[in-house]
Amino acid sequence: MTLAGHRPRVLFISPDAVGERMAGLGIRYTELARALAPSCDVRVATGAPGAAGGTIPGCDVPVVGYVPHAPKALREHIAWAEAVVAPPQWPVVTRWLRSSGNRIVFDLYDPETLETLELFAGRRPAMRRLMVALTLDRLDDALRTGHHFMCAGEGQRDLWLGALLASRAITPAAYDADRSLRDVIDLVPFGLPAEPPSPGPGAREAFPGRIGPDDEVILWNGGIWPWLDAPTAVRAVTELAERRPGVRLVFMGRGSGFAGQAAFEATRDVARDLGVLNTTVLFADGWVPYAERGGWLLQADCALATASDHLETRFAFRTRLLDCFWAGLPIVCTAGDDLAARVRSEALGATAPPGDATALAAALESVLEQGRQAFDAQLSDTASDYAWPVVSGALQRWVGGGRVTRASQSVAHPRRRPSHRVRVALYWLVRTGLRAVGKPWPAR
Amino acid sequence: MSGQQILVISADKVGRRMAGTSIRAYELARALGSEGDVTLAALNSPEADGLGLFDVPILSYDLRAPSELAAAIMSADVVICQPQWPHLGRSLARTRARVVFDLYTPEHLEVLERESRLRSVIVALTRDRVAEALHAGSQFICATERQRDLWIGMMLEERLLGARTYDRDRSLQNLIRIVPFGTSEAPPRADGHPIRRQFPVIGESDRIVLWNGGLWDWFDAPTAIRAVAAIVRDRPDTRLVFMGAASAGPGARATSEARRVAAELGLLDTHVLFNDSWVPYDDRGGWLLEADCAVSTHVEHLETRFAFRTRLLDCFWAGLPIVCTAGDELASWIVRDDLGAVAAERDVTAVAAGLAAVLDRGKDAFRAQLANAADGYRWGRVVDPLKDLLRSPDPGPLGTNGARRLGPRVRNWAFRSAVTAASTLGVGLPEV
């Protein structure tokens, strides 16, 4: 598809910071930009304040900035680009993208819609309804505007295929052109760093005197969130400790915000009630810096990740499990999502049904009994599937296709529903009003 | 719980010969006997009740003028059915009954395969029908995990998963559950040698590889044929039989393509055999018992991704090992439980190796595992999640506001008017 010698111009729009202190999407677009850089001219736009300027380390991809609800600076970059990769956008940017003639790839890797339901639980009902409606409006606009969609796993792909069909974006003609619809929606999961983790301090250094040299470290390698099920993890390890007194469960991070704090406290209370707090079950203070996680993963004997049966967990992509592939750490987790299915079918550890502490204890015991080495080969095989140049395959294919002509459009553009149109008009009104009085967009 | 009126609607005829839809509706009706008084409504089946075959009362209805069915829908406590055409959809939206939609066939995907001048109209009407069902239904069942994810995606985009639904049931296990297809309780009956009777060219000690179902565009018969061709070179006693290879109807294109490939390889009607006549559903057991291995290959395709492969269940039931394309839940069980072999899409060599291995080990080597798998799929067992749904409090219709898009409303109105006009004039509805 690519014309000989032509380098496609690709713009990534990241709401998160890129560069030094990166969050999820920032890391994702930095790595994807790096993977595309050898064959494309790439720019990354970031909506995080103060993050613009300079280039992405390791390649000469410029990082440019924009202000999320006053995104004028994006216009010139959209005009420059032939292909744009972005998560679902607010109405202003969507409108520019739609009229740009560029190939638009929407990133549906993060099931934001399901997260919104969870994150705004406990807020005022009217507020929550509005936030859910706005998130769905953005998804709707993305489905009606995008030419291609990337998602993290096959389960997510099924979810989004359902949404695409409901939005009536898939016409019979699109189906005839591509009966698997892999050209419309395909997987671009999260990837792994190219360099292996480096040894360094971990749980043993963080809890001097609490973990003996022969004790076994079970690592909860991430934060504690309401949709995860840390209490069951505590119960399982407590049960296991009766048979294997040397096991230690170490929580590497906490959740943040109101919901995260509540989940942490509930977990700590369970540990206290079972009399294992600060003996068998240990909580790290604050967050282990992202760059230091390698040391913790290399030191541990097994990772543990439990979730409840829950919409968010079914469709989320657990990057914490990827980290375990990277560090060769076997995993015990609850069944129910794509990566868990992989853990089970490729013997990367063991799985247990959600909420079943006894089954979880048995799974942990069998993995600890076999030892890390028993899982080494499978884990490193799996890790190689998640190298960024590999996971970005579909994206590379799409951006090589050049600008979109009408004939090559695979997705129809059905009209917005009336309530959606009303909310879009309100958005323009509020935005213009705020600009007129010189006020910034309110933070969430 | 007993005493509640349960109405199960079959979208097709019930009788001696039944299609998958009717079998499913009948088995659901039977299994729900423990939950209340069940009636099975069946399309154009006035004689069915008199056959003495069914242990539930049967209400026959006519799609053109379904007034009796509409009345039954209004008076029932529970209605279980597939998405309905607009004139019945209206009764379903208005009844006080708990309506459970059976979404085991993603019809809005199937219609994309239609070759018809009216395709775009049919596609739009089917999408309306499905969306209508998502709004009007209280609860839902479907056949696979994949389907469940697809339906949740549709509900999300239809704006049906708001805070109210979510807070009540964060896993949606009380909203949509999986009820796959089941296997008959009665074992398959051996009836002489129906395959050899049909194809005298097959010798007594020959090994039969059976394609046990129809041939459709989304299957990949050429790969199976080439794989058998590779085996025939060493073992000329291997025969591949297509059980439902109609030269007319929707499968005609795939059948003629398969015939062409077999002819090119010089195996047509000697080693690759096509059964042009339809094998009655009840007789399929004999065919399965006579074969040595089943084969089923397909390419990635929306239809294959979301369909439930009933033909593989039939193999479990008849103790027939399977060689099939990898990539779905059933295929992964075939590997895990040693029920046959799987191969990557279009991989002729791997299919041939799988077939050779299974044929060499012989059917008996797989018997115990297959019986185990079949037991897990007994109708009496697979219906349990539906019983759970009915025992939980009725959450009420999923769609709270009647605000529908203009397009579907106009099409609904046009459809209902057409049905009324047709039944007034006494003309039949065109087949769609």
Side-chain angles (χ1 to χ4, degrees):
Chain A
M1 292 281 271
T2 317
L3 298 168
H6 176 71
R7 291 168 59 83
R9 298 186 296 274
V10 184
L11 172 69
F12 286 88
I13 303 179
S14 167
D16 292 343
V18 297
E20 289 306 308
R21 301 187 60 84
M22 297 189 291
L25 280 179
I27 300 171
R28 181 167 168 83
Y29 294 153
T30 301
E31 295 289 356
L32 288 174
R34 262 194 206 129
L36 257 52
S39 58
C40 307
D41 287 339
V42 184
R43 288 181 190 173
V44 178
T46 169
T55 58
I56 281 178
C59 59
D60 52 4
V61 169
V63 177
V64 299
Y66 72 96
V67 182
H69 294 276
K72 210 169 168 189
L74 272 181
R75 273 202 109 150
E76 68 169 290
H77 303 298
I78 292 173
W80 164 84
E82 287 160 280
V84 180
V85 184
Q89 296 290 311
W90 290 86
V92 184
V93 178
T94 305
R95 183 189 236 183
W96 294 342
L97 290 177
R98 191 190 265 270
S99 59
S100 68
N102 290 341
R103 187 176 289 274
I104 314 295
V105 182
F106 276 113
D107 186 8
L108 304 177
Y109 145 88
D110 183 13
E112 198 192 357
T113 6
L114 304 178
E115 263 177 33
T116 308
L117 280 168
E118 184 59 45
L119 285 174
F120 286 84
R123 301 283 278 270
R124 260 177 302 141
M127 166 73 166
R128 189 166 172 221
R129 259 202 310 276
L130 178 67
M131 292 315 296
V132 171
L134 288 175
T135 318
L136 279 168
D137 284 351
R138 277 185 289 145
L139 171 68
D140 222 11
D141 271 344
L143 297 179
R144 296 175 325 105
T145 305
H147 302 102
H148 309 280
F149 303 90
M150 50 192 207
C151 61
E154 295 290 344
Q156 259 192 17
R157 185 167 181 267
D158 293 336
L159 178 83
W160 300 132
L161 275 172
L164 275 166
L165 285 163
S167 77
R168 311 195 178 216
I170 306 288
T171 59
Y175 175 78
D176 288 346
D178 169 21
R179 296 191 174 201
S180 67
L181 297 186
R182 284 278 167 194
D183 194 44
V184 175
I185 176 164
D186 207 348
L187 310 194
V188 177
F190 216 80
L192 285 174
E195 62 286 350
S198 47
R204 289 172 202 276
E205 288 73 17
F207 300 99
R210 297 268 168 79
I211 306 176
D214 294 327
D215 289 349
E216 294 170 311
V217 174
I218 298 170
L219 190 64
W220 178 278
N221 63 318
I224 302 172
W225 300 101
W227 51 83
L228 300 178
D229 182 16
T232 298
V234 171
R235 288 192 191 97
V237 174
T238 308
E239 203 179 312
L240 182 61
E242 289 166 16
R243 311 195 284 272
R244 286 172 97 91
V247 291
R248 299 284 178 271
L249 171 62
V250 180
F251 285 92
M252 203 168 137
R254 298 179 177 183
S256 52
F258 174 76
Q261 185 62 25
F264 160 67
E265 282 167 13
T267 310
R268 192 195 49 201
D269 292 348
V270 169
R272 184 181 294 132
D273 292 348
L274 291 168
V276 291
L277 183 63
N278 297 333
T279 54
T280 303
V281 177
L282 305 162
F283 293 92
D285 272 336
W287 285 91
V288 172
Y290 189 68
E292 287 170 30
R293 72 194 193 289
W296 288 66
L297 295 164
L298 288 175
Q299 263 193 20
D301 296 282
C302 174
L304 179 57
T306 50
S308 346
D309 182 7
H310 194 292
L311 266 196
E312 203 275 343
T313 53
R314 168 131 194 91
F315 297 108
F317 187 72
R318 302 261 156 254
T319 37
R320 66 175 70 189
L321 299 191
L322 275 197
D323 275 343
C324 299
F325 302 164
W326 175 59
L329 182 63
I331 300 156
V332 171
C333 63
T334 41
D337 62 51
D338 282 351
L339 280 182
R342 216 167 165 175
V343 167
R344 186 190 179 130
S345 66
E346 292 169 31
L348 310 174
T351 63
D356 187 342
T358 306
L360 206 58
L364 282 168
E365 190 167 25
S366 93
V367 169
L368 290 174
E369 205 51 49
Q370 293 175 69
R372 266 183 90 128
Q373 285 70 31
F375 300 92
D376 230 18
Q378 304 93 290
L379 284 164
S380 78
D381 266 5
T382 307
S384 63
D385 290 350
Y386 289 97
W388 281 106
V390 177
V391 300
S392 60
L395 184 60
Q396 310 222 23
R397 208 167 68 221
W398 292 331
V399 299
R403 280 195 194 231
V404 183
T405 59
R406 257 201 104 66
S408 69
Q409 285 191 0
S410 46
V411 174
H413 302 292
R415 294 157 62 87
R416 288 170 171 155
R417 65 192 79 205
S419 58
H420 183 170
R421 269 181 266 167
V422 169
R423 281 188 298 267
V424 169
L426 279 176
Y427 174 84
W428 283 89
L429 212 67
V430 170
R431 193 178 149 267
T432 317
L434 285 173
R435 260 215 310 215
V437 298
K439 283 208 162 174
W441 188 264
R444 269 203 207 171
Chain B
M1 290 303 274
S2 80
Q4 62 177 346
Q5 299 293 320
I6 302 177
L7 177 69
V8 180
I9 305 175
S10 166
D12 209 339
K13 288 178 190 158
V14 301
R16 281 189 204 285
R17 289 185 176 178
M18 295 199 283
T21 311
S22 317
I23 293 166
R24 182 171 171 93
Y26 172 57
E27 294 287 358
L28 293 183
R30 250 177 49 148
L32 290 177
S34 59
E35 312 298 303
D37 298 328
V38 187
T39 304
L40 176 63
L43 180 73
N44 304 335
S45 313
E47 325 78 30
D49 222 6
L51 289 174
L53 283 174
F54 303 107
D55 36 17
V56 291
I58 293 181
L59 167 75
S60 173
Y61 69 91
D62 176 352
L63 201 51
R64 277 178 303 171
S67 55
E68 220 182 319
L69 178 58
I73 289 172
M74 295 311 286
S75 66
D77 298 303
V78 175
V79 179
I80 296 158
C81 60
Q82 289 180 264
Q84 296 292 330
W85 292 102
H87 55 311
L88 277 172
R90 192 140 76 156
S91 308
L92 288 167
R94 287 178 180 171
T95 178
R96 56 169 189 90
R98 174 202 304 242
V99 180
V100 181
F101 278 102
D102 185 359
L103 306 173
Y104 86 103
T105 46
E107 285 176 76
H108 53 312
L109 299 182
E110 284 183 1
V111 290
L112 288 169
E113 276 296 320
R114 287 291 183 81
E115 281 181 47
S116 158
R117 270 180 301 132
L118 292 175
R119 182 166 75 152
S120 56
V121 177
I122 299 174
V123 167
L125 277 173
T126 309
R127 285 181 180 175
D128 292 349
R129 214 148 58 89
V130 166
E132 195 85 40
L134 296 182
H135 283 262
S138 297
Q139 291 165 315
F140 305 86
I141 54 175
C142 60
T144 66
E145 285 281 345
R146 282 243 148 96
Q147 285 184 3
R148 187 167 183 269
D149 294 344
L150 180 84
W151 294 120
I152 291 175
M154 283 199 72
M155 289 171 184
L156 196 65
E157 176 62 20
E158 287 288 334
R159 315 234 169 178
L160 291 167
L161 299 182
R164 190 180 67 106
T165 310
Y166 180 76
D167 289 347
R168 202 167 44 204
D169 174 18
R170 298 189 175 198
S171 66
L172 303 188
Q173 289 295 350
N174 193 28
L175 180 72
I176 176 163
R177 294 287 291 270
I178 297 169
V179 175
F181 226 79
T183 52
S184 326
E185 313 267 338
R189 278 177 302 123
D191 168 30
H193 297 283
I195 301 180
R196 286 180 174 85
R197 207 160 51 224
Q198 182 81 14
F199 300 105
V201 65
I202 304 176
E204 200 143 312
S205 61
D206 286 359
R207 310 185 301 176
I208 300 175
V209 178
L210 184 66
W211 180 282
N212 63 313
L215 262 172
W216 310 102
D217 285 339
W218 48 86
F219 286 124
D220 177 22
T223 293
I225 295 170
R226 293 198 177 96
V228 168
I231 299 178
V232 165
R233 263 178 249 135
D234 299 330
R235 291 284 304 259
D237 61 343
T238 310
R239 317 275 177 171
L240 172 62
V241 175
F242 287 90
M243 185 166 150
S247 51
R253 193 168 58 187
T255 305
S256 66
E257 165 71 5
R259 279 179 174 278
R260 193 184 58 74
V261 173
E264 269 174 21
L265 292 164
L267 300 174
L268 183 62
D269 297 334
T270 58
H271 289 85
V272 180
L273 307 157
F274 293 88
N275 177 37
D276 202 346
S277 59
W278 191 61
V279 177
Y281 188 73
D282 276 344
D283 296 350
R284 75 194 192 289
W287 285 63
L288 296 166
L289 286 176
E290 195 181 346
D292 297 287
C293 177
V295 67
S296 172
T297 45
H298 62 252
V299 286
E300 190 188 343
H301 190 293
L302 276 199
E303 159 66 35
T304 50
R305 187 174 180 88
F306 292 108
F308 185 78
R309 297 203 261 162
T310 323
R311 60 176 68 195
L312 299 190
L313 265 200
D314 273 345
C315 298
F316 297 173
W317 170 66
L320 186 62
I322 301 153
V323 175
C324 70
T325 309
D328 66 10
E329 243 169 271
L330 274 180
S332 65
W333 291 341
I334 288 176
V335 178
R336 195 189 64 199
D337 298 342
D338 188 29
L339 310 174
V342 304
E345 203 178 291
R346 292 184 216 272
D347 188 341
V348 174
T349 322
V351 174
L355 283 172
V358 170
L359 289 171
D360 289 346
R361 280 174 68 190
K363 234 170 132 162
D364 284 336
F366 299 92
R367 204 171 295 277
Q369 305 89 292
L370 286 163
N372 230 333
D375 191 55
Y377 276 103
R378 276 184 298 109
W379 274 112
R381 185 169 288 183
V382 300
V383 179
D384 283 347
L386 174 57
K387 291 185 182 172
D388 287 349
L389 285 182
L390 295 185
R391 284 170 192 169
S392 67
D394 181 2
L398 188 54
T400 44
N401 51 0
R404 309 278 298 113
R405 296 183 208 195
L406 190 60
R409 270 194 281 179
V410 170
R411 283 191 294 267
N412 272 355
W413 175 84
F415 185 93
R416 281 201 307 268
S417 312
V419 170
T420 312
S423 74
T424 314
L425 298 172
V427 292
L429 281 179
E431 203 46 50
V432 284

